[in-house]
Amino acid sequence: MSCYRMTDTSVQNDRIEHETINLTYKSSLRFRGKTNVIRESLFNQANYYWIGLISIGTPEKTFIINFDTGSTDLWVPSIQCLSTCENKAKYDLYSSYTSRANGATFRIKYGDGSYVNGIFINDTVTIANSSVLNQAFAHAKNISGFSLSTFDGVLGLAYPSLGTSGQIPIFYNMWQQGLISNPIFSFYFNPNPNSYPGGELIFGGVDSTKYLGSITYVDVIIPAYWEFMMDSVQTNDKIICSNCRAILDTGTTLIVGPSNQIALLNYAIGGIYDQETGLYTVDCYTRLLSDFPDVEFSIGNMTFTLSVLQYLLISKDNDNFVCYTIFQGINLRDNRGYLIWILGDYFLSRFYSIYNVKRNQIGLAKSISYNYLQINPKSLFGNSSNKNYFQYILQLFILIIILVIRNIFFF
């Protein structure tokens, strides 16, 4: 699984400005008094990504899907996809009597180098028992970079300007067809990989039981990705960046930023660059937890804090544990050429996120799972040295007792 999966806009349409789809619609009166929402349960895949189930066609074919706010289109493998689609569910347009010809070509390349090629088709797409009629999606004939992923396809939730061939995204059709009463959606990710369900995606609303305190809203500055201005990133009172551009991306695992800023952040934490993985390692054997600083993200004049056990990845290599930070340096740009930060799943699993299409805003609030901490081996964070020290004291005490007994009985 790649650490980030952001749409490469170089292969998208030449459209830069968002061609806003009219959210009122001529039949908007049919929404009056409705409070419809669609609730999609999500599964936590070892904190690398959160996935859910959808079905396509009539009769329905079920697919495991990665819901991605960093891209726009929906795609699933085609029955015509062979070697690169092994062990994945495949769509057969000839088996569905609700399929309709579309013919537009589909090609998307993600920031980690993976790509998908295929053809658009229209069919019924069902999410949590709600059916979106005549939805355009791509059935992929060529897929690269997804062989290790447990999901079959990707459902994009970014703005239409990132889409290909002018197809209307599924979220907009949900609203147009009256399946939801409000043009917003929201994510809750549970960072406990053993929890079920592992999260929730709500189309058309917000779940107030999944966050604590108030919601902080900021405006989207370019309606393509869910991009906004981040006031600052800092740690140990050291400013890493100020007035920096950022996006919320559920399709990215880690927190990604410009290479020089991420290098500065990791240096402040005590991270050392690992050439093999492209990540930064820290000494989590001898350093105490109290030696690691918090990392603070200032958004909308509110501070969103990650502590050390929230920003470390602990991996086992043979009998040894290796600790990586979740901060990865890659120079990625938005569709106007600006360097951006990507706040991925390790951020979104601590903060409930809301995406409002009508107001062009994102919202963040502290998740109810904010305080969940991964279970760490007792040998880490200085505990090993303390354990050895106490073992030494115990052994010394036993030795003294033995010597005293010997002196009593032999002298």
Side-chain angles (χ1 to χ4, degrees), residues 38-73:
I38 299 174
R39 295 178 180 269
E40 171 76 4
S41 295
L42 301 177
F43 303 86
N44 181 343
Q45 296 293 288
N47 285 334
Y48 277 94
Y49 40 79
W50 278 255
I51 58 178
L53 300 176
I54 70 170
S55 60
I56 302 176
T58 309
E60 298 180 352
K61 173 77 173 183
T62 300
F63 296 88
I64 302 172
I65 291 295
N66 185 347
F67 296 91
D68 178 24
T69 59
S71 64
T72 296
D73 297 302

PDB file of all heavy atoms in Angstrom, residues 38-73:
ATOM      1  N   ILE A  38     -27.454   8.960   4.157  1.00  0.00           N
ATOM      2  CA  ILE A  38     -27.003   7.609   3.804  1.00  0.00           C
ATOM      3  C   ILE A  38     -25.807   7.301   4.682  1.00  0.00           C
ATOM      4  O   ILE A  38     -24.806   8.018   4.656  1.00  0.00           O
ATOM      5  CB  ILE A  38     -26.633   7.524   2.317  1.00  0.00           C
ATOM      6  CG1 ILE A  38     -27.847   7.836   1.447  1.00  0.00           C
ATOM      7  CG2 ILE A  38     -26.072   6.148   1.988  1.00  0.00           C
ATOM      8  CD1 ILE A  38     -27.531   7.926  -0.039  1.00  0.00           C
ATOM      9  N   ARG A  39     -25.887   6.236   5.458  1.00  0.00           N
ATOM     10  CA  ARG A  39     -24.819   5.860   6.382  1.00  0.00           C
ATOM     11  C   ARG A  39     -24.085   4.634   5.847  1.00  0.00           C
ATOM     12  O   ARG A  39     -24.684   3.566   5.681  1.00  0.00           O
ATOM     13  CB  ARG A  39     -25.386   5.560   7.775  1.00  0.00           C
ATOM     14  CG  ARG A  39     -25.999   6.781   8.457  1.00  0.00           C
ATOM     15  CD  ARG A  39     -26.595   6.404   9.805  1.00  0.00           C
ATOM     16  NE  ARG A  39     -27.180   7.570  10.458  1.00  0.00           N
ATOM     17  CZ  ARG A  39     -26.536   8.364  11.296  1.00  0.00           C
ATOM     18  NH1 ARG A  39     -25.267   8.102  11.600  1.00  0.00           N
ATOM     19  NH2 ARG A  39     -27.132   9.400  11.837  1.00  0.00           N
ATOM     20  N   GLU A  40     -22.811   4.802   5.606  1.00  0.00           N
ATOM     21  CA  GLU A  40     -21.970   3.730   5.084  1.00  0.00           C
ATOM     22  C   GLU A  40     -20.963   3.321   6.157  1.00  0.00           C
ATOM     23  O   GLU A  40     -20.135   4.128   6.596  1.00  0.00           O
ATOM     24  CB  GLU A  40     -21.232   4.200   3.833  1.00  0.00           C
ATOM     25  CG  GLU A  40     -20.166   3.249   3.320  1.00  0.00           C
ATOM     26  CD  GLU A  40     -20.744   2.040   2.593  1.00  0.00           C
ATOM     27  OE1 GLU A  40     -21.983   1.968   2.414  1.00  0.00           O
ATOM     28  OE2 GLU A  40     -19.947   1.167   2.202  1.00  0.00           O
ATOM     29  N   SER A  41     -21.047   2.063   6.608  1.00  0.00           N
ATOM     30  CA  SER A  41     -20.078   1.555   7.583  1.00  0.00           C
ATOM     31  C   SER A  41     -18.735   1.311   6.918  1.00  0.00           C
ATOM     32  O   SER A  41     -18.673   0.833   5.773  1.00  0.00           O
ATOM     33  CB  SER A  41     -20.588   0.257   8.213  1.00  0.00           C
ATOM     34  OG  SER A  41     -21.755   0.489   8.970  1.00  0.00           O
ATOM     35  N   LEU A  42     -17.671   1.640   7.633  1.00  0.00           N
ATOM     36  CA  LEU A  42     -16.327   1.491   7.098  1.00  0.00           C
ATOM     37  C   LEU A  42     -15.536   0.469   7.915  1.00  0.00           C
ATOM     38  O   LEU A  42     -15.812   0.254   9.097  1.00  0.00           O
ATOM     39  CB  LEU A  42     -15.596   2.839   7.122  1.00  0.00           C
ATOM     40  CG  LEU A  42     -16.258   3.976   6.338  1.00  0.00           C
ATOM     41  CD1 LEU A  42     -15.461   5.262   6.518  1.00  0.00           C
ATOM     42  CD2 LEU A  42     -16.391   3.632   4.861  1.00  0.00           C
ATOM     43  N   PHE A  43     -14.554  -0.129   7.269  1.00  0.00           N
ATOM     44  CA  PHE A  43     -13.694  -1.116   7.898  1.00  0.00           C
ATOM     45  C   PHE A  43     -12.265  -0.568   7.940  1.00  0.00           C
ATOM     46  O   PHE A  43     -11.745  -0.103   6.923  1.00  0.00           O
ATOM     47  CB  PHE A  43     -13.721  -2.438   7.124  1.00  0.00           C
ATOM     48  CG  PHE A  43     -15.095  -3.025   6.973  1.00  0.00           C
ATOM     49  CD1 PHE A  43     -15.915  -2.630   5.923  1.00  0.00           C
ATOM     50  CD2 PHE A  43     -15.573  -3.946   7.882  1.00  0.00           C
ATOM     51  CE1 PHE A  43     -17.192  -3.164   5.770  1.00  0.00           C
ATOM     52  CE2 PHE A  43     -16.846  -4.485   7.749  1.00  0.00           C
ATOM     53  CZ  PHE A  43     -17.660  -4.087   6.687  1.00  0.00           C
ATOM     54  N   ASN A  44     -11.649  -0.642   9.097  1.00  0.00           N
ATOM     55  CA  ASN A  44     -10.282  -0.159   9.278  1.00  0.00           C
ATOM     56  C   ASN A  44      -9.301  -1.237   8.840  1.00  0.00           C
ATOM     57  O   ASN A  44      -9.249  -2.319   9.429  1.00  0.00           O
ATOM     58  CB  ASN A  44     -10.063   0.208  10.756  1.00  0.00           C
ATOM     59  CG  ASN A  44      -8.667   0.752  11.025  1.00  0.00           C
ATOM     60  OD1 ASN A  44      -7.743   0.595  10.238  1.00  0.00           O
ATOM     61  ND2 ASN A  44      -8.501   1.392  12.171  1.00  0.00           N
ATOM     62  N   GLN A  45      -8.516  -0.941   7.815  1.00  0.00           N
ATOM     63  CA  GLN A  45      -7.509  -1.867   7.317  1.00  0.00           C
ATOM     64  C   GLN A  45      -6.139  -1.498   7.885  1.00  0.00           C
ATOM     65  O   GLN A  45      -5.322  -0.830   7.240  1.00  0.00           O
ATOM     66  CB  GLN A  45      -7.481  -1.854   5.793  1.00  0.00           C
ATOM     67  CG  GLN A  45      -8.763  -2.357   5.155  1.00  0.00           C
ATOM     68  CD  GLN A  45      -8.976  -3.833   5.413  1.00  0.00           C
ATOM     69  OE1 GLN A  45      -8.279  -4.674   4.851  1.00  0.00           O
ATOM     70  NE2 GLN A  45      -9.944  -4.158   6.261  1.00  0.00           N
ATOM     71  N   ALA A  46      -5.918  -1.904   9.160  1.00  0.00           N
ATOM     72  CA  ALA A  46      -4.628  -1.723   9.837  1.00  0.00           C
ATOM     73  C   ALA A  46      -4.159  -0.272   9.833  1.00  0.00           C
ATOM     74  O   ALA A  46      -2.965  -0.002   9.806  1.00  0.00           O
ATOM     75  CB  ALA A  46      -3.566  -2.621   9.208  1.00  0.00           C
ATOM     76  N   ASN A  47      -5.109   0.663   9.857  1.00  0.00           N
ATOM     77  CA  ASN A  47      -4.817   2.099   9.855  1.00  0.00           C
ATOM     78  C   ASN A  47      -4.123   2.580   8.578  1.00  0.00           C
ATOM     79  O   ASN A  47      -3.556   3.678   8.558  1.00  0.00           O
ATOM     80  CB  ASN A  47      -3.987   2.501  11.074  1.00  0.00           C
ATOM     81  CG  ASN A  47      -4.819   2.550  12.342  1.00  0.00           C
ATOM     82  OD1 ASN A  47      -6.027   2.762  12.287  1.00  0.00           O
ATOM     83  ND2 ASN A  47      -4.194   2.350  13.487  1.00  0.00           N
ATOM     84  N   TYR A  48      -4.180   1.774   7.511  1.00  0.00           N
ATOM     85  CA  TYR A  48      -3.633   2.206   6.234  1.00  0.00           C
ATOM     86  C   TYR A  48      -4.717   2.833   5.360  1.00  0.00           C
ATOM     87  O   TYR A  48      -4.460   3.760   4.612  1.00  0.00           O
ATOM     88  CB  TYR A  48      -2.976   1.044   5.494  1.00  0.00           C
ATOM     89  CG  TYR A  48      -1.566   0.782   5.961  1.00  0.00           C
ATOM     90  CD1 TYR A  48      -1.309  -0.163   6.954  1.00  0.00           C
ATOM     91  CD2 TYR A  48      -0.501   1.484   5.434  1.00  0.00           C
ATOM     92  CE1 TYR A  48      -0.017  -0.404   7.397  1.00  0.00           C
ATOM     93  CE2 TYR A  48       0.789   1.264   5.866  1.00  0.00           C
ATOM     94  CZ  TYR A  48       1.023   0.316   6.849  1.00  0.00           C
ATOM     95  OH  TYR A  48       2.306   0.096   7.294  1.00  0.00           O
ATOM     96  N   TYR A  49      -5.919   2.300   5.422  1.00  0.00           N
ATOM     97  CA  TYR A  49      -7.036   2.909   4.734  1.00  0.00           C
ATOM     98  C   TYR A  49      -8.323   2.348   5.324  1.00  0.00           C
ATOM     99  O   TYR A  49      -8.327   1.324   6.010  1.00  0.00           O
ATOM    100  CB  TYR A  49      -6.997   2.702   3.213  1.00  0.00           C
ATOM    101  CG  TYR A  49      -6.541   1.332   2.761  1.00  0.00           C
ATOM    102  CD1 TYR A  49      -7.417   0.249   2.786  1.00  0.00           C
ATOM    103  CD2 TYR A  49      -5.252   1.128   2.286  1.00  0.00           C
ATOM    104  CE1 TYR A  49      -7.011  -1.001   2.374  1.00  0.00           C
ATOM    105  CE2 TYR A  49      -4.842  -0.134   1.876  1.00  0.00           C
ATOM    106  CZ  TYR A  49      -5.716  -1.187   1.920  1.00  0.00           C
ATOM    107  OH  TYR A  49      -5.318  -2.423   1.511  1.00  0.00           O
ATOM    108  N   TRP A  50      -9.429   3.073   5.074  1.00  0.00           N
ATOM    109  CA  TRP A  50     -10.758   2.677   5.544  1.00  0.00           C
ATOM    110  C   TRP A  50     -11.619   2.393   4.330  1.00  0.00           C
ATOM    111  O   TRP A  50     -11.682   3.196   3.400  1.00  0.00           O
ATOM    112  CB  TRP A  50     -11.365   3.789   6.395  1.00  0.00           C
ATOM    113  CG  TRP A  50     -10.893   3.799   7.821  1.00  0.00           C
ATOM    114  CD1 TRP A  50     -11.613   3.394   8.918  1.00  0.00           C
ATOM    115  CD2 TRP A  50      -9.631   4.234   8.324  1.00  0.00           C
ATOM    116  NE1 TRP A  50     -10.866   3.545  10.069  1.00  0.00           N
ATOM    117  CE2 TRP A  50      -9.634   4.060   9.732  1.00  0.00           C
ATOM    118  CE3 TRP A  50      -8.473   4.742   7.740  1.00  0.00           C
ATOM    119  CZ2 TRP A  50      -8.563   4.386  10.540  1.00  0.00           C
ATOM    120  CZ3 TRP A  50      -7.390   5.070   8.537  1.00  0.00           C
ATOM    121  CH2 TRP A  50      -7.433   4.888   9.921  1.00  0.00           C
ATOM    122  N   ILE A  51     -12.275   1.257   4.304  1.00  0.00           N
ATOM    123  CA  ILE A  51     -12.985   0.806   3.122  1.00  0.00           C
ATOM    124  C   ILE A  51     -14.441   0.471   3.456  1.00  0.00           C
ATOM    125  O   ILE A  51     -14.799   0.278   4.615  1.00  0.00           O
ATOM    126  CB  ILE A  51     -12.308  -0.426   2.492  1.00  0.00           C
ATOM    127  CG1 ILE A  51     -12.219  -1.564   3.513  1.00  0.00           C
ATOM    128  CG2 ILE A  51     -10.928  -0.059   1.958  1.00  0.00           C
ATOM    129  CD1 ILE A  51     -11.614  -2.840   2.983  1.00  0.00           C
ATOM    130  N   GLY A  52     -15.280   0.418   2.418  1.00  0.00           N
ATOM    131  CA  GLY A  52     -16.676   0.056   2.593  1.00  0.00           C
ATOM    132  C   GLY A  52     -17.179  -0.720   1.386  1.00  0.00           C
ATOM    133  O   GLY A  52     -16.420  -1.001   0.452  1.00  0.00           O
ATOM    134  N   LEU A  53     -18.454  -1.061   1.407  1.00  0.00           N
ATOM    135  CA  LEU A  53     -19.045  -1.877   0.352  1.00  0.00           C
ATOM    136  C   LEU A  53     -20.065  -1.073  -0.447  1.00  0.00           C
ATOM    137  O   LEU A  53     -20.853  -0.306   0.114  1.00  0.00           O
ATOM    138  CB  LEU A  53     -19.740  -3.103   0.952  1.00  0.00           C
ATOM    139  CG  LEU A  53     -18.870  -4.068   1.755  1.00  0.00           C
ATOM    140  CD1 LEU A  53     -19.738  -5.174   2.346  1.00  0.00           C
ATOM    141  CD2 LEU A  53     -17.763  -4.658   0.905  1.00  0.00           C
ATOM    142  N   ILE A  54     -20.040  -1.250  -1.759  1.00  0.00           N
ATOM    143  CA  ILE A  54     -21.095  -0.736  -2.629  1.00  0.00           C
ATOM    144  C   ILE A  54     -21.467  -1.868  -3.585  1.00  0.00           C
ATOM    145  O   ILE A  54     -20.778  -2.896  -3.665  1.00  0.00           O
ATOM    146  CB  ILE A  54     -20.655   0.512  -3.426  1.00  0.00           C
ATOM    147  CG1 ILE A  54     -19.620   0.121  -4.500  1.00  0.00           C
ATOM    148  CG2 ILE A  54     -20.102   1.590  -2.509  1.00  0.00           C
ATOM    149  CD1 ILE A  54     -19.321   1.247  -5.495  1.00  0.00           C
ATOM    150  N   SER A  55     -22.565  -1.691  -4.288  1.00  0.00           N
ATOM    151  CA  SER A  55     -22.905  -2.654  -5.330  1.00  0.00           C
ATOM    152  C   SER A  55     -23.269  -1.903  -6.594  1.00  0.00           C
ATOM    153  O   SER A  55     -23.707  -0.750  -6.552  1.00  0.00           O
ATOM    154  CB  SER A  55     -24.059  -3.563  -4.892  1.00  0.00           C
ATOM    155  OG  SER A  55     -25.212  -2.809  -4.607  1.00  0.00           O
ATOM    156  N   ILE A  56     -23.060  -2.563  -7.722  1.00  0.00           N
ATOM    157  CA  ILE A  56     -23.305  -1.948  -9.026  1.00  0.00           C
ATOM    158  C   ILE A  56     -24.085  -2.924  -9.891  1.00  0.00           C
ATOM    159  O   ILE A  56     -23.816  -4.135  -9.912  1.00  0.00           O
ATOM    160  CB  ILE A  56     -21.981  -1.568  -9.725  1.00  0.00           C
ATOM    161  CG1 ILE A  56     -21.153  -0.607  -8.854  1.00  0.00           C
ATOM    162  CG2 ILE A  56     -22.242  -0.937 -11.091  1.00  0.00           C
ATOM    163  CD1 ILE A  56     -19.796  -0.266  -9.447  1.00  0.00           C
ATOM    164  N   GLY A  57     -25.060  -2.378 -10.630  1.00  0.00           N
ATOM    165  CA  GLY A  57     -25.772  -3.174 -11.616  1.00  0.00           C
ATOM    166  C   GLY A  57     -27.037  -3.832 -11.092  1.00  0.00           C
ATOM    167  O   GLY A  57     -27.378  -3.765  -9.911  1.00  0.00           O
ATOM    168  N   THR A  58     -27.740  -4.519 -12.023  1.00  0.00           N
ATOM    169  CA  THR A  58     -28.947  -5.266 -11.701  1.00  0.00           C
ATOM    170  C   THR A  58     -28.902  -6.591 -12.460  1.00  0.00           C
ATOM    171  O   THR A  58     -28.980  -6.584 -13.700  1.00  0.00           O
ATOM    172  CB  THR A  58     -30.208  -4.488 -12.105  1.00  0.00           C
ATOM    173  OG1 THR A  58     -30.143  -3.166 -11.567  1.00  0.00           O
ATOM    174  CG2 THR A  58     -31.453  -5.177 -11.574  1.00  0.00           C
ATOM    175  N   PRO A  59     -28.736  -7.709 -11.806  1.00  0.00           N
ATOM    176  CA  PRO A  59     -28.584  -7.885 -10.360  1.00  0.00           C
ATOM    177  C   PRO A  59     -27.294  -7.256  -9.835  1.00  0.00           C
ATOM    178  O   PRO A  59     -26.367  -6.985 -10.596  1.00  0.00           O
ATOM    179  CB  PRO A  59     -28.580  -9.400 -10.191  1.00  0.00           C
ATOM    180  CG  PRO A  59     -28.072  -9.918 -11.500  1.00  0.00           C
ATOM    181  CD  PRO A  59     -28.620  -8.987 -12.542  1.00  0.00           C
ATOM    182  N   GLU A  60     -27.262  -7.044  -8.527  1.00  0.00           N
ATOM    183  CA  GLU A  60     -26.158  -6.311  -7.924  1.00  0.00           C
ATOM    184  C   GLU A  60     -24.882  -7.141  -7.836  1.00  0.00           C
ATOM    185  O   GLU A  60     -24.914  -8.332  -7.564  1.00  0.00           O
ATOM    186  CB  GLU A  60     -26.549  -5.837  -6.518  1.00  0.00           C
ATOM    187  CG  GLU A  60     -27.720  -4.873  -6.492  1.00  0.00           C
ATOM    188  CD  GLU A  60     -28.065  -4.433  -5.091  1.00  0.00           C
ATOM    189  OE1 GLU A  60     -27.489  -4.986  -4.126  1.00  0.00           O
ATOM    190  OE2 GLU A  60     -28.908  -3.525  -4.933  1.00  0.00           O
ATOM    191  N   LYS A  61     -23.771  -6.449  -8.086  1.00  0.00           N
ATOM    192  CA  LYS A  61     -22.447  -7.021  -7.891  1.00  0.00           C
ATOM    193  C   LYS A  61     -21.757  -6.183  -6.817  1.00  0.00           C
ATOM    194  O   LYS A  61     -21.693  -4.948  -6.924  1.00  0.00           O
ATOM    195  CB  LYS A  61     -21.652  -6.969  -9.196  1.00  0.00           C
ATOM    196  CG  LYS A  61     -20.195  -7.393  -9.068  1.00  0.00           C
ATOM    197  CD  LYS A  61     -20.049  -8.890  -8.977  1.00  0.00           C
ATOM    198  CE  LYS A  61     -18.578  -9.305  -9.031  1.00  0.00           C
ATOM    199  NZ  LYS A  61     -18.395 -10.761  -9.014  1.00  0.00           N
ATOM    200  N   THR A  62     -21.228  -6.816  -5.768  1.00  0.00           N
ATOM    201  CA  THR A  62     -20.652  -6.101  -4.636  1.00  0.00           C
ATOM    202  C   THR A  62     -19.164  -5.849  -4.842  1.00  0.00           C
ATOM    203  O   THR A  62     -18.429  -6.720  -5.315  1.00  0.00           O
ATOM    204  CB  THR A  62     -20.863  -6.900  -3.340  1.00  0.00           C
ATOM    205  OG1 THR A  62     -22.267  -7.084  -3.129  1.00  0.00           O
ATOM    206  CG2 THR A  62     -20.276  -6.164  -2.145  1.00  0.00           C
ATOM    207  N   PHE A  63     -18.732  -4.634  -4.457  1.00  0.00           N
ATOM    208  CA  PHE A  63     -17.325  -4.239  -4.564  1.00  0.00           C
ATOM    209  C   PHE A  63     -16.855  -3.628  -3.243  1.00  0.00           C
ATOM    210  O   PHE A  63     -17.615  -2.925  -2.565  1.00  0.00           O
ATOM    211  CB  PHE A  63     -17.131  -3.210  -5.686  1.00  0.00           C
ATOM    212  CG  PHE A  63     -17.451  -3.729  -7.056  1.00  0.00           C
ATOM    213  CD1 PHE A  63     -18.743  -3.649  -7.561  1.00  0.00           C
ATOM    214  CD2 PHE A  63     -16.456  -4.304  -7.836  1.00  0.00           C
ATOM    215  CE1 PHE A  63     -19.043  -4.122  -8.824  1.00  0.00           C
ATOM    216  CE2 PHE A  63     -16.753  -4.793  -9.100  1.00  0.00           C
ATOM    217  CZ  PHE A  63     -18.044  -4.704  -9.594  1.00  0.00           C
ATOM    218  N   ILE A  64     -15.605  -3.898  -2.918  1.00  0.00           N
ATOM    219  CA  ILE A  64     -14.954  -3.250  -1.771  1.00  0.00           C
ATOM    220  C   ILE A  64     -14.322  -1.966  -2.280  1.00  0.00           C
ATOM    221  O   ILE A  64     -13.546  -1.978  -3.244  1.00  0.00           O
ATOM    222  CB  ILE A  64     -13.882  -4.162  -1.153  1.00  0.00           C
ATOM    223  CG1 ILE A  64     -14.495  -5.491  -0.714  1.00  0.00           C
ATOM    224  CG2 ILE A  64     -13.213  -3.472   0.036  1.00  0.00           C
ATOM    225  CD1 ILE A  64     -13.468  -6.519  -0.266  1.00  0.00           C
ATOM    226  N   ILE A  65     -14.640  -0.840  -1.624  1.00  0.00           N
ATOM    227  CA  ILE A  65     -14.314   0.463  -2.183  1.00  0.00           C
ATOM    228  C   ILE A  65     -13.523   1.308  -1.185  1.00  0.00           C
ATOM    229  O   ILE A  65     -13.805   1.320   0.012  1.00  0.00           O
ATOM    230  CB  ILE A  65     -15.606   1.213  -2.576  1.00  0.00           C
ATOM    231  CG1 ILE A  65     -16.276   0.525  -3.765  1.00  0.00           C
ATOM    232  CG2 ILE A  65     -15.322   2.678  -2.903  1.00  0.00           C
ATOM    233  CD1 ILE A  65     -15.484   0.546  -5.047  1.00  0.00           C
ATOM    234  N   ASN A  66     -12.556   2.041  -1.709  1.00  0.00           N
ATOM    235  CA  ASN A  66     -11.838   3.070  -0.959  1.00  0.00           C
ATOM    236  C   ASN A  66     -12.497   4.412  -1.299  1.00  0.00           C
ATOM    237  O   ASN A  66     -12.476   4.844  -2.452  1.00  0.00           O
ATOM    238  CB  ASN A  66     -10.360   3.079  -1.363  1.00  0.00           C
ATOM    239  CG  ASN A  66      -9.521   4.039  -0.528  1.00  0.00           C
ATOM    240  OD1 ASN A  66     -10.046   4.883   0.191  1.00  0.00           O
ATOM    241  ND2 ASN A  66      -8.206   3.906  -0.629  1.00  0.00           N
ATOM    242  N   PHE A  67     -13.085   5.062  -0.301  1.00  0.00           N
ATOM    243  CA  PHE A  67     -13.745   6.355  -0.509  1.00  0.00           C
ATOM    244  C   PHE A  67     -12.697   7.461  -0.393  1.00  0.00           C
ATOM    245  O   PHE A  67     -12.122   7.673   0.674  1.00  0.00           O
ATOM    246  CB  PHE A  67     -14.866   6.541   0.516  1.00  0.00           C
ATOM    247  CG  PHE A  67     -15.978   5.536   0.370  1.00  0.00           C
ATOM    248  CD1 PHE A  67     -15.953   4.339   1.067  1.00  0.00           C
ATOM    249  CD2 PHE A  67     -17.029   5.779  -0.485  1.00  0.00           C
ATOM    250  CE1 PHE A  67     -16.974   3.410   0.937  1.00  0.00           C
ATOM    251  CE2 PHE A  67     -18.061   4.851  -0.638  1.00  0.00           C
ATOM    252  CZ  PHE A  67     -18.034   3.660   0.078  1.00  0.00           C
ATOM    253  N   ASP A  68     -12.470   8.173  -1.490  1.00  0.00           N
ATOM    254  CA  ASP A  68     -11.288   9.017  -1.642  1.00  0.00           C
ATOM    255  C   ASP A  68     -11.659  10.472  -1.916  1.00  0.00           C
ATOM    256  O   ASP A  68     -12.166  10.784  -2.990  1.00  0.00           O
ATOM    257  CB  ASP A  68     -10.446   8.454  -2.794  1.00  0.00           C
ATOM    258  CG  ASP A  68      -9.211   9.276  -3.093  1.00  0.00           C
ATOM    259  OD1 ASP A  68      -8.736   9.996  -2.189  1.00  0.00           O
ATOM    260  OD2 ASP A  68      -8.711   9.184  -4.228  1.00  0.00           O
ATOM    261  N   THR A  69     -11.371  11.353  -0.953  1.00  0.00           N
ATOM    262  CA  THR A  69     -11.636  12.779  -1.169  1.00  0.00           C
ATOM    263  C   THR A  69     -10.550  13.447  -2.004  1.00  0.00           C
ATOM    264  O   THR A  69     -10.639  14.646  -2.283  1.00  0.00           O
ATOM    265  CB  THR A  69     -11.757  13.524   0.176  1.00  0.00           C
ATOM    266  OG1 THR A  69     -10.545  13.362   0.924  1.00  0.00           O
ATOM    267  CG2 THR A  69     -12.931  12.999   0.992  1.00  0.00           C
ATOM    268  N   GLY A  70      -9.536  12.690  -2.430  1.00  0.00           N
ATOM    269  CA  GLY A  70      -8.466  13.243  -3.247  1.00  0.00           C
ATOM    270  C   GLY A  70      -8.634  12.999  -4.731  1.00  0.00           C
ATOM    271  O   GLY A  70      -7.755  13.330  -5.533  1.00  0.00           O
ATOM    272  N   SER A  71      -9.758  12.404  -5.146  1.00  0.00           N
ATOM    273  CA  SER A  71     -10.054  12.211  -6.567  1.00  0.00           C
ATOM    274  C   SER A  71     -11.570  12.313  -6.732  1.00  0.00           C
ATOM    275  O   SER A  71     -12.308  12.431  -5.753  1.00  0.00           O
ATOM    276  CB  SER A  71      -9.523  10.864  -7.073  1.00  0.00           C
ATOM    277  OG  SER A  71     -10.179   9.785  -6.428  1.00  0.00           O
ATOM    278  N   THR A  72     -12.043  12.239  -7.975  1.00  0.00           N
ATOM    279  CA  THR A  72     -13.458  12.518  -8.237  1.00  0.00           C
ATOM    280  C   THR A  72     -14.232  11.328  -8.778  1.00  0.00           C
ATOM    281  O   THR A  72     -15.384  11.105  -8.409  1.00  0.00           O
ATOM    282  CB  THR A  72     -13.575  13.697  -9.227  1.00  0.00           C
ATOM    283  OG1 THR A  72     -13.034  14.871  -8.611  1.00  0.00           O
ATOM    284  CG2 THR A  72     -15.015  13.963  -9.615  1.00  0.00           C
ATOM    285  N   ASP A  73     -13.638  10.555  -9.651  1.00  0.00           N
ATOM    286  CA  ASP A  73     -14.382   9.521 -10.367  1.00  0.00           C
ATOM    287  C   ASP A  73     -14.504   8.226  -9.576  1.00  0.00           C
ATOM    288  O   ASP A  73     -13.696   7.930  -8.688  1.00  0.00           O
ATOM    289  CB  ASP A  73     -13.700   9.221 -11.703  1.00  0.00           C
ATOM    290  CG  ASP A  73     -13.696  10.428 -12.629  1.00  0.00           C
ATOM    291  OD1 ASP A  73     -14.785  10.936 -12.932  1.00  0.00           O
ATOM    292  OD2 ASP A  73     -12.598  10.874 -13.016  1.00  0.00           O
TER     293      ASP A  73
END
